[in-house]
């Protein structure tokens, strides 16, 4: 029995290596796909050729492969997912098992247990349980626009149908009967359409993910602004041309370049600098990645310039957009600059900007989700944009269909 106990202790460490064991924050693979946190209980076990392996697919599905193949030494007694016992196939008199568990994890936590009976070389028997804990994103707000109305949104104008229209559309997952939100700026003039959600809680760091499609005939040459995450006084939402003082406002919105037709971030924050005529007053939003020049005037910080650019946008195509905004450590003088902005398009990371002076006080928190399309003049087409599967979370979200269970 002593040999069995030693084996258990050694294998517990090995299994952690195989399964990304630990309680660290969500990680991403090379394609930017959101992954859940995965932890393994201490009494994990492998015997001989038996192995338990955990992985995450691109569509945010947990795959647990178990191969229990040690004749006369180990058998799988029970398999449980979220306290529901699953059926177990039998082979070779309950001694050899090969199987796979698939668990969709977005927006739901899962606990998976595999109970094993082990017989050591001295014919002593022990029972061990492998527990895999899967923690998905913590959702602050979500909408797939299947509510039937616009009541969950907090716009003062009531979101009239002429600018905010719920329409039936298969959406990014080609789902019959699916509904999306169409934003339609006023044709032939300066203006926009938007959705505002005052979040139920305030945060220092958030992720937002949505799918967006530009309507056929959309003019990507038109000057524009988009939506994203906002911190501060709601009355300052959309107010431009003024550098925030570190206590009143910070924002991170997603728009497209009217010259390159690629997505980029447009941000207002205490340390913004790219287009500031008066350093402590008049300022216009910083762009990430900065593509305005090569450092002569606007893009002074080389680390903020062109990483691999996101794809050129096309009409009638769904894109998955995800951003992270971390307000970082408050600093009265900018000596600490650890605010962060990240951008993913279709699960691929196209930028990490982690040296930003966002605020001067912890009193400034992320508190508003803003979906928007704004045009500066009347040169834009009459086509609008469609939004679907909107999620705000405290952890990375990744690509995948909205889950409500």
């Amino acid at each position: 029995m002593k040999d069995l106990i030693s084996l258990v202790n050694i294998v517990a460490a090995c299994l952690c290596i195989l399964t990304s064991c630990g309680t660290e924050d969500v990680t991403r693979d090379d394609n930017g796909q959101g992954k859940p946190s995965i932890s393994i209980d201490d009494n994990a076990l492998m015997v001989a050729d038996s192995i338990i392996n955990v992985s995450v697919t691109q569509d945010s599905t947990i795959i647990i492969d178990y191969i229990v193949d040690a004749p006369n030494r180990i058998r799988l007694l029970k398999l449980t997912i979220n306290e529901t016992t699953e059926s177990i196939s039998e082979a070779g008199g309950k001694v050899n098992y090969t199987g796979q568990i698939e668990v969709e994890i977005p927006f739901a936590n899962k606990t998976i247990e595999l109970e094993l009976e082990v017989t050591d070389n001295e014919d002593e028997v022990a029972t061990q349980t492998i527990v895999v804990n899967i923690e998905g994103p913590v959702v602050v707000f979500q909408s797939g626009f299947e509510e039937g109305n616009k009541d969950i949104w907090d716009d003062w104008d009531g979101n009239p149908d002429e600018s905010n229209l719920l329409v039936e559309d298969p959406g990014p997952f080609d789902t019959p009967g699916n509904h999306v939100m169409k934003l339609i700026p006023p044709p032939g003039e300066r203006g926009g359409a938007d959705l505002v959600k005052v979040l139920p809680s305030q945060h220092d760091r958030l992720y937002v993910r949505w799918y967006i499609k530009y309507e056929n005939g959309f003019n990507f040459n038109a000057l524009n602004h988009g939506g994203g995450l906002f911190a501060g006084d709601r009355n300052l939402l959309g107010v431009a041309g003024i550098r925030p003082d570190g206590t009143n406002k910070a924002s991170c919105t997603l728009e497209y370049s009217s010259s390159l037709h690629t997505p980029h971030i447009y941000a207002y924050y205490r340390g913004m600098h790219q287009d500031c005529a008066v350093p402590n007053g008049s300022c216009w939003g910083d762009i990430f990645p900065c593509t305005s020049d090569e450092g002569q005037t606007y893009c002074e910080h080389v680390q903020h310039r062109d990483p691999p650019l996101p794809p050129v946008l096309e009409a009638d195509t769904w894109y998955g957009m995800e951003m992270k905004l971390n307000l970082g450590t408050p600093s009265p003088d900018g000596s600490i600059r650890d605010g962060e902005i990240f951008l993913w398009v279709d699960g691929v990371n196209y930028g990490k900007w982690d040296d930003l002076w966002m605020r001067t006080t912890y009193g400034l928190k992320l508190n508003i989700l803003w979906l928007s399309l704004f045009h500066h003049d009347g040169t834009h087409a009459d086509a609008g944009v469609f939004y679907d599967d909107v999620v705000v979370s405290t952890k990375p979200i990744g690509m995948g269909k909205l889950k409500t269970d």
Side-chain angles (χ1 to χ4, degrees), residues 92-324:
K94 289 189 176 181
V95 293
N96 302 326
Y97 294 90
T98 301
Q100 186 179 82
I101 308 166
E102 294 191 12
V103 183
E104 293 186 355
I105 55 87
F107 322 109
N109 297 331
K110 303 288 184 183
T111 299
I112 298 173
E113 297 184 9
L114 295 95
E115 185 175 328
L116 305 170
E117 182 183 275
V118 181
T119 304
D120 71 4
N121 292 330
E122 298 177 359
D123 294 329
E124 294 192 50
V125 178
T127 299
Q128 297 290 335
T129 301
I130 299 174
V131 180
V132 182
N133 300 301
I134 305 164
E135 181 183 351
V138 178
V139 174
V140 176
F141 173 78
Q142 63 186 41
S143 175
F145 301 106
E146 302 301 331
E147 297 85 10
N149 54 53
K150 294 169 272 189
D151 293 349
I152 65 172
W153 301 91
D154 301 309
D155 292 66
W156 288 327
D157 65 1
N159 298 311
D161 286 346
E162 57 265 27
S163 60
N164 305 72
L165 189 60
L166 282 170
V167 298
E168 187 170 322
D169 182 281
F173 304 103
D174 197 24
T175 305
N178 184 68
H179 292 85
V180 303
M181 172 58 67
K182 181 180 180 181
L183 299 184
I184 319 164
E189 62 182 83
R190 176 186 174 90
D194 66 0
L195 287 169
V196 175
K197 177 61 184 179
V198 178
L199 298 174
S201 50
Q202 299 187 2
H203 301 267
D204 298 307
R205 178 186 69 177
L206 283 175
Y207 298 78
V208 60
R209 195 286 316 272
W210 61 67
Y211 287 88
I212 189 170
K213 179 175 73 170
Y214 298 87
E215 192 174 15
N216 273 326
F218 193 90
N219 179 16
F220 289 103
N221 294 318
L223 296 173
N224 72 103
H225 291 304
L229 293 170
F230 179 88
D233 186 343
R234 176 174 174 169
N235 291 299
L236 297 179
L237 191 67
V239 174
I242 302 173
R243 181 206 294 269
D245 64 13
T247 68
N248 60 350
K249 173 183 175 178
S251 65
C252 171
T253 58
L254 183 68
E255 58 186 47
Y256 61 86
S257 166
S258 58
S259 58
L260 300 174
H261 301 176
T262 55
H264 65 224
I265 299 294
Y266 188 70
Y268 274 80
Y269 59 101
R270 179 63 185 92
M272 59 189 287
H273 63 91
Q274 292 178 12
D275 192 5
C276 295
V278 181
N280 291 313
S282 177
C283 275
W284 305 94
D286 282 6
I287 292 174
F288 300 97
C290 189
T291 56
S292 302
D293 58 29
E294 294 302 320
Q296 296 88 340
T297 303
Y298 298 101
C299 309
E300 298 175 339
H301 298 168
V302 64
Q303 68 272 26
H304 296 169
R305 294 181 214 153
D306 318 352
L309 290 177
V312 174
L313 297 171
E314 298 179 356
D316 201 31
T317 300
W318 282 104
Y319 296 94
M321 303 290 190
E322 183 170 356
M323 295 183 291
K324 171 188 176 181

Side-chain angles (χ1 to χ4, degrees), residues 47-63:
V47 175
D49 296 326
S50 304
I51 189 170
I52 307 296
N53 186 55
V54 181
S55 59
V56 183
T57 69
Q58 286 298 316
D59 62 356
S60 296
T61 297
I62 284 286
I63 302 294

